[in-house]
Amino acid sequence: AKYQIILFVGFLEWFSEATGDHYMRGGIPGKFPDFNGPDSAIPHPVPFNLYDPFRTTKKKSAEKKADGLIKEINNGRLAMIGIMGFLAEQKIDGAVPLLKGLVTHYDGEVMNPF
């Protein structure tokens, strides 16, 4: 499964580099090219895109999009804090009082899983 994930992410990186402008060469950071459409590089039809499969963001105003971006960034930050809390509790018992007894102790190197 690890190799499938690496290959899939590698395909996405290759696809974004082959069809779009790199952000260091004038592209927009975070903008991923469409899978379907008239200028798609994929030779067969793909029913959905990765970012917006049902095309709901085209109807939103710029203000709502900016508000959603801030919410998404804050959600990602909170997820990273949560993951670090679990890692801290695994390494040091009792580091996070709410997780005490729920997470098993880990003696290995948490930042080097492979």
Side-chain angles (χ1 to χ4, degrees):
K2 180 173 32 174
Y3 296 117
Q4 289 174 337
I5 294 170
I6 291 171
L7 285 173
F8 181 69
V9 171
F11 165 75
L12 292 178
E13 286 289 326
W14 170 82
F15 183 75
S16 68
E17 292 290 327
T19 59
D21 290 333
H22 191 270
Y23 68 91
M24 295 293 286
R25 287 181 247 129
I28 300 170
K31 182 165 176 26
F32 196 80
D34 285 344
F35 279 157
N36 50 14
D39 58 343
S40 176
I42 296 180
H44 57 81
V46 177
F48 301 114
N49 282 314
L50 286 178
Y51 169 66
D52 189 17
F54 300 112
R55 303 281 186 195
T56 57
T57 58
K58 285 189 174 187
K59 303 170 193 165
K60 291 184 178 180
S61 66
E63 182 180 303
K64 280 200 170 257
K65 286 181 185 179
D67 187 45
L69 177 64
I70 291 172
K71 288 178 183 177
E72 185 67 27
I73 289 171
N74 288 336
N75 187 22
R77 289 175 179 162
L78 188 61
M80 287 187 281
I81 290 170
I83 289 172
M84 291 307 291
F86 274 95
L87 290 176
E89 180 62 33
Q90 279 187 325
K91 194 67 177 170
I92 304 167
D93 292 330
V96 182
L98 291 175
L99 295 176
K100 189 173 184 174
L102 294 176
V103 181
T104 59
H105 184 75
Y106 181 66
D107 286 325
E109 181 62 41
V110 293
M111 298 309 277
N112 188 11
F114 302 111

